[in-house]
Amino acid sequence: MNAATRSWAAPDTQRVGYCVIGLGRIAAHFLAGVANSQSSRVTALVSGHRDKAERVAAQYGVPMDSIYSYEEFDRIGANRNIDAVYVALPNSMHAEYTMRAARAGKHVLCEKPMAISSAECRQMIEACTVARVKLMIAYRLHDEPITLKALALVKSGQLGPLQAMEAANGFNIKPGEWRYTKALGGGGSLFDVGIYCINAFRMFAGGEPSDCHGQVSTMDHDGRFKEVEENVSWLMRFPSGALATGASTYGADMSGYYRLHGAYGWLEVGSYTYQGQHIQGRYAEEPTRDAKRIDIDETSDELDPMQFVREADHFAECILQNKTPKTPGEEGLADLRCIEAIYRSAGALLS
C-alpha cells in the first residue's frame, strides 16, 4: 500500500491522531505505516531539529503549528488533534516522555524496550493508570501474519508440548551509535535486539520463566564497548519444563530467527525485520502423536510498512473501542524483568 490508497480511510474526525516523538529511523517506518492506515493519522511531531521536522510535516500533512520542541512538549495537552503519542526516542527517555504524555491526557504507544529498568516500567504503568490513558508497547511482530501463524499452531497443540526453543538476533554495530551507551541505551545488545528473542520465548511458552541464567562477553576492544557488553547468551526454564536458549550480539551480523521444538514437530521463523518473514517446519494434522505430519514452507508477501499499519490500527481500535492492547505495559515489564534476571545471573551491572 501507499498513501494514494487512503481514499477508503475514515474521515479525519474518526481517526486517531498520533503525535510522533522523535524522528529517527524507527519513526520513519511508523510514519509511513500511519500514512497507509484506515484508522490513524499523524497530527503532530516532536523533534529537536526544527528543519527536519518541517520536512516531515510537509510530507505527512502535519500543520506547522503542531511541531513541538522537547522544551515545548507539555503543550501537546492543549492540542485536541492529538489522541495518542508514539514514543520513538532512545531507551532511557521512554519513561519520562510516557509519563509526561499521560499527564497531558494522551494515550501512549511506546517503542521497545519499554524502559531501562523494571522500576521505570512500573512507574509508566502507574502514570497511565492514574491518567486513565492506554499504554501499549510497540511489539509489531504480535500483528505480523507469519508470527501469528506460528503462535496459532503452538496453541492448537499440533506442534505438541514445547520441549525446547532457540533464538538469536544481532548485528555489527557502527561506531557513534547511541545504542551502546549506558546513558541512552541502558545496556547492550539484549536491550535492543535480544529482546525480540525473549518476547518470542514468553509468547510461545504462554507464561513467564521460572529461571534465567546468562553470560556476557566483549571480544572487540575497539572503543565501542566501553560501557556495555558486546555479546549475551542465556538459558530460560519455563514452569512446563520447556527450555529456551538465546543469543544476541552487537559484534556480528547474526541472522535473526527463532526455532520451536515440540513433541510432534518443529517450526523455524527467520527474521525479526520489517518484511519477508519465512516459516518452515513440520507439525501434526491433529494434536496427537500418531497423526499425519504436515510440512510448511511459506514466506510473507507483506512489505514494509505493513507491520506498522497493523500496529497503529490495533492501538487505534483499542482507543476508539476501549479495548485492552495485546501488548500492554505489563508485557514490556515482563521482558525487562527477564533482562534484569539475565544480567544479574551473569554478574553484569545495569547501572
Side-chain angles (χ1 to χ4, degrees), residues 105-119:
K106 309 302 182 184
H107 303 285
V108 181
L109 174 56
C110 179
E111 264 301 332
K112 62 82 195 161
M114 181 176 175
I116 60 172
S117 72
S118 59

Side-chain angles (χ1 to χ4, degrees), residues 34 50 131 318:
V34 173
R50 180 77 191 192
C318 292

Side-chain angles (χ1 to χ4, degrees), residues 46-87:
V46 178
S47 174
H49 303 280
R50 180 77 191 192
D51 54 344
K52 181 178 182 179
E54 288 186 356
R55 291 195 300 272
V56 173
Q59 182 179 357
Y60 290 99
V62 176
M64 292 298 162
D65 60 2
S66 290
I67 298 174
Y68 303 91
S69 66
Y70 292 106
E71 292 75 19
E72 300 170 320
F73 176 77
D74 296 316
R75 289 177 47 211
I76 70 168
N79 189 332
R80 294 184 178 181
N81 290 322
I82 300 173
D83 302 298
V85 303
Y86 171 64
V87 181

Side-chain angles (χ1 to χ4, degrees), residues 143-145 274-277 300-304 306-307 310:
D143 291 300
E144 190 276 318
Y274 308 130
Q275 61 187 34
Q277 274 66 43
S300 173
D301 60 1
E302 287 193 347
L303 301 178
D304 185 32
M306 194 61 206
Q307 291 178 16
R310 292 177 179 275

Side-chain angles (χ1 to χ4, degrees), residues 123-186:
Q123 292 170 1
M124 294 161 72
I125 292 169
E126 176 66 16
C128 290
T129 300
V130 169
R132 297 184 178 180
V133 298
K134 297 188 182 298
L135 172 60
M136 174 174 153
I137 310 306
Y139 291 109
R140 55 187 166 76
L141 292 174
H142 282 247
D143 291 300
E144 190 276 318
I146 292 291
T147 302
L148 293 176
K149 176 168 286 191
L151 182 60
L153 287 170
V154 171
K155 287 184 173 180
S156 73
Q158 291 170 271
L159 205 63
L162 285 180
Q163 306 292 326
M165 297 179 280
E166 304 153 19
N169 201 16
F171 65 99
N172 203 333
I173 199 166
K174 296 177 181 179
E177 287 265 8
W178 61 260
R179 286 171 174 79
Y180 59 70
T181 68
K182 273 284 179 69
L184 294 177

Side-chain angles (χ1 to χ4, degrees), residues 63 93 138 247 308:
M93 301 173 72
F308 295 87

